[in-house]
Amino acid sequence: MIEIEHLSKTYDGRTVVDDVSMRIADGELVVVVGTSGSGKTTLLRMINRLVEPSAGKVSIDGVDCRAIAPHLLRRQIGYAIQGHGLFPHRTVSQNIATVPGLLGWDKAKISARVDELLSLFQLDPAEFRDRYPGQLSGGQQQRIGVARALAAAPKLLLMDEPFGALDPIIRARAQLDLRDIQRRLGTTIVLVTHDMNEAILLGDRIAVMDQARLLQYDTPRKIVVSPATAFVGELLGSGERPFRLLALQPVRDFVEPGMAEGQPIDANSSLRDALEEALWSGRKAVPVRDASGALLGRVTLETAIRQAAPQR
Amino acid sequence: MKLGLVFRIGTIMLLAVFLLQPDWFAFVFAPMTKNGQPAIYVQNSLLSLTISHLLIVFAATLAASAVAIGLAIAVTRPIGREFLPLSRTIANAGQTFPPVAVLALAVPVLGFGTEPTLLALFLYGLLPIFENALTGLTTVPPQVEEAARGMGMTDRERLWQVELPLALPLILAGVRISAVIAIATAAIGSTVAASTLGEAIIAGLINSNLAFVAQGALVISALAILIHDGIGALERRVGRHLIQG
Ligand SMILES: Nc1ncnc2c1ncn2[C@@H]1O[C@H](COP(=O)(O)OP(=O)(O)OP(=O)(O)O)[C@@H](O)[C@H]1O
Ligand SMILES: [Mg+2]
């Protein structure tokens, strides 16, 4: 559990993070979203003390972060940033081994861990271990950056716009992979972005910041259904709210018995996908199948439309 | 690439044969002499002059590297940063002194011989290495710096594991420039009785024997080219992964 209490940062009399408090439960993925300059990065960097707070405190599992020397604190917390920051003079395996090396792990343990992480990120260890960052694609560099942040199996991972430099297709894949890996490892993640789609897609909870303040800290559904301020509504894009709401609801929960014509959709896709499919193919209902391909029933256009409005 | 290798090996072999058996080349230099002057300088063997020339250059460049790199590290640390402008000024001033002036000023203090030459070459070698080391240490990509800090490297770990390795190609380039300048400038040391290849050149000038001048100058040029080339190859080797893809 991470507790952020009344955290503030002031530079030359200008407050860039203003009295922010939030609690993050273990295993949660919290996305901090907001416009440029709203203080997201500063907030994130106060958690691992790359920036020292002007007021307030951060504690992890009840331990005040100020009680631990900054470099020792940071070795316990994963950190991944936009543009990855890989060491160009070190191979992929040396990069990943950075924190384990600082922690003094033995060689065999480090190399086993490097291979394990490469496999986890779907990179063949034999092929990639000895490459240099300059010999990787942007998407591969980004994955190595995250693998490096996870190397010493931190309980907490901080990510500052980790997908910012990727093209949309690679980004979508990287987001899903992150979600998957996070579920599997149970890592608590705080991720900064200014992309609301990313926040809604990934976040168990979303923290919306504007002008140094935390405006709302809630589940994606709550944020979409009842934005705390006009600014939060604006950030969501008012015209898109019904679709964002649908995107949060998996088809699985709305399958009804019955038949439907045409191409089935996956039970794990969202009602938004179902709506798009139905509208595009001019169908009133779409068959639903599970991962193995077995038909489960159907989901109707009517259901999608009903679910697009906030429930009373 | 192949051609470069042939040229390199060729130069080294030619130089080695010339230094070991200068008499074999008498026919090349004889046309430059007048009135039956000797064609090959023999007061001191060219081989021993070359060795002592190189030792002086090596010692001066080594000392200049140690001091300049140390200084560059010191002024890029938080505690030393306020001395950055001052250290630049001092290193620049070192470079504006003509080497002859340094020799002239150093002789009364250090006497004739190798020492004033070493001092002049040392002072002369500081600036290029210092400037390059400074550039290298201050241009580490900010994201790399940030990642290193974010992963919990201490200042010292960052210096040794990140900043110096990334600055190494530039530092080597500075060493290369200094060493090549020193190779050329060391010749002047013979005016204050240091044992360098300048001795042959000076003897040639005094006796109007163009052959001696040519021998000294050619060996010095060959050394300069080889050192430039050798350190250059080293730079490319350590820097080959540093170009970000
Ligand atoms: N070291 C610093 N000194 C002075 N001001 C700073 C410093 N770091 C950040 N700021 C200011 O604090 C404010 C918040 O910066 P921060 O980097 O936290 O914003 P952000 O929300 O991450 O923005 P972006 O989305 O553009 O990355 C900005 O106005 C910035 O100029
Ligand atoms: Mg930022």
Side-chain angles (χ1 to χ4, degrees):
Chain A
M1 162 108 94
I2 299 148
E3 285 161 288
I4 297 174
E5 292 169 63
H6 304 290
L7 206 58
S8 295
K9 180 67 190 180
T10 309
Y11 286 116
D12 310 318
R14 210 164 65 85
T15 302
V16 303
V17 172
D18 191 1
D19 195 24
V20 169
S21 297
M22 52 201 277
R23 280 161 175 257
I24 300 164
D26 285 343
E28 249 185 345
L29 200 168
V30 168
V31 179
V32 181
V33 68
T35 47
S36 188
S38 54
K40 309 180 294 291
T41 296
T42 308
L43 175 64
L44 191 78
R45 289 161 51 105
M46 281 194 280
I47 298 175
N48 66 359
R49 292 181 66 188
L50 281 172
V51 171
E52 290 293 347
S54 308
K57 71 168 195 179
V58 179
S59 41
I60 299 177
D61 295 335
V63 180
D64 188 335
C65 287
R66 289 172 298 189
I68 309 167
H71 67 282
L72 298 179
L73 175 72
R74 289 177 204 138
R75 289 173 192 181
Q76 304 170 16
I77 300 178
Y79 189 56
I81 53 179
Q82 173 166 15
H84 60 73
L86 293 176
F87 300 140
H89 61 295
R90 291 188 167 181
T91 61
V92 163
S93 69
Q94 289 167 336
N95 264 287
I96 295 178
T98 304
V99 180
L102 294 174
L103 293 172
W105 289 17
D106 68 56
K107 282 222 169 71
K109 188 173 168 196
I110 291 180
S111 96
R113 180 66 180 159
V114 167
D115 288 1
E116 182 186 342
L117 280 161
L118 283 172
S119 309
L120 184 65
F121 283 85
Q122 293 153 31
L123 295 166
D124 177 16
E127 188 183 344
F128 287 95
R129 210 186 282 128
D130 298 322
R131 290 220 200 155
Y132 284 84
Q135 302 167 322
L136 303 172
S137 74
Q140 290 163 346
Q141 289 172 337
Q142 190 274 338
R143 273 184 275 170
I144 302 296
V146 181
R148 181 175 68 170
L150 290 171
K155 281 190 61 193
L156 171 62
L157 170 61
L158 308 178
M159 309 181 88
D160 196 347
E161 302 193 26
F163 310 121
L166 303 179
D167 68 59
I169 291 175
I170 305 283
R171 185 185 312 153
R173 160 126 191 254
Q175 288 166 338
L176 294 178
D177 285 351
L178 179 72
R179 191 76 254 208
D180 193 47
I181 286 167
Q182 190 249 355
R183 292 266 157 79
R184 234 186 302 171
L185 302 178
T187 315
T188 310
I189 298 184
V190 183
L191 183 148
V192 163
T193 180
H194 45 235
D195 176 358
M196 191 45 113
N197 284 323
E198 185 165 285
I200 290 176
L201 178 71
L202 293 178
D204 294 317
R205 283 164 183 275
I206 297 176
V208 183
M209 286 193 72
D210 183 42
Q211 294 177 14
R213 303 185 135 271
L214 179 61
L215 298 182
Q216 189 170 8
Y217 178 47
D218 237 324
T219 60
R221 186 178 174 90
K222 281 272 185 49
I223 299 250
V224 171
V225 173
S226 42
T229 70
F231 176 82
V232 179
E234 227 173 281
L235 212 57
L236 286 162
S238 47
E240 287 189 55
R241 281 168 57 188
F243 304 103
R244 294 205 188 279
L245 197 54
L246 287 176
L248 288 169
Q249 308 176 69
V251 163
R252 181 181 346 105
D253 298 347
F254 301 95
V255 181
E256 55 188 66
M259 297 293 290
E261 292 293 305
Q263 182 74 18
I265 72 167
D266 198 291
N268 285 324
S269 53
S270 70
L271 279 184
R272 180 180 182 153
D273 300 320
L275 176 69
E276 281 172 7
E277 186 59 38
L279 290 176
W280 191 248
S281 59
R283 287 179 281 171
K284 288 247 181 307
V286 180
V288 179
R289 60 164 161 73
D290 65 13
S292 68
L295 282 179
L296 302 176
R298 63 175 186 176
V299 62
T300 61
L301 187 57
E302 204 181 326
T303 305
I305 291 170
R306 173 164 40 81
Q307 293 303 122
Q311 306 298 298
R312 297 128 283 265
Chain B
M1 194 64 209
K2 274 266 166 53
L3 206 67
L5 195 65
V6 171
F7 182 74
R8 248 169 244 161
I9 293 173
T11 310
I12 292 172
M13 300 237 293
L14 194 65
L15 185 65
V17 174
F18 177 66
L19 290 177
L20 292 170
Q21 299 293 343
D23 291 335
W24 291 0
F25 295 81
F27 72 96
V28 180
F29 293 99
M32 298 182 207
T33 62
K34 290 178 294 196
N35 318 326
Q37 286 172 324
I40 300 293
Y41 185 74
V42 288
Q43 262 73 359
N44 281 305
S45 86
L46 284 171
L47 181 63
S48 72
L49 288 181
T50 303
I51 290 171
S52 113
H53 192 113
L54 282 176
L55 282 178
I56 290 173
V57 168
F58 180 75
T61 307
L62 194 68
S65 302
V67 171
I69 296 170
L71 208 59
I73 291 174
V75 299
T76 49
R77 298 310 99 187
I79 18 162
R81 221 167 259 275
E82 55 185 309
F83 296 105
L84 184 58
L86 180 69
S87 59
R88 267 213 169 104
T89 311
I90 293 175
N92 271 313
Q95 193 88 15
T96 52
F97 267 103
V100 181
V102 178
L103 286 179
L105 289 173
V107 167
V109 185
L110 299 173
F112 281 90
T114 309
E115 289 87 348
T117 311
L118 276 174
L119 181 69
L121 295 188
F122 165 73
L123 291 178
Y124 237 62
L126 285 177
L127 184 69
I129 305 175
F130 178 69
E131 281 287 353
N132 275 31
L134 209 54
T135 308
L137 289 173
T138 51
T139 53
V140 173
Q143 290 149 351
V144 171
E145 210 50 92
E146 162 102 3
R149 258 162 49 84
M151 281 186 294
M153 286 190 180
T154 60
D155 291 350
R156 182 181 297 255
E157 284 160 348
R158 246 176 34 246
L159 174 67
W160 286 103
Q161 299 184 28
V162 180
E163 293 167 3
L164 281 175
L166 289 178
L168 191 57
L170 264 177
I171 292 176
L172 283 175
V175 173
R176 170 171 52 84
I177 295 166
S178 285
V180 169
I181 292 176
I183 287 275
T185 313
I188 301 171
S190 289
T191 57
V192 295
S195 164
T196 77
L197 288 161
E199 198 181 297
I201 298 178
I202 291 166
L205 291 174
I206 290 170
N207 304 317
S208 310
N209 185 340
L210 197 56
F212 290 180
V213 177
Q215 278 150 46
L218 280 173
V219 174
I220 290 174
S221 315
L223 293 177
I225 290 171
L226 287 172
I227 286 184
H228 175 87
D229 186 63
I231 302 182
L234 201 62
E235 279 165 47
R236 285 190 297 279
R237 204 180 150 68
V238 299
R240 70 194 185 287
H241 298 300
L242 300 186
I243 309 109
Q244 288 253 27

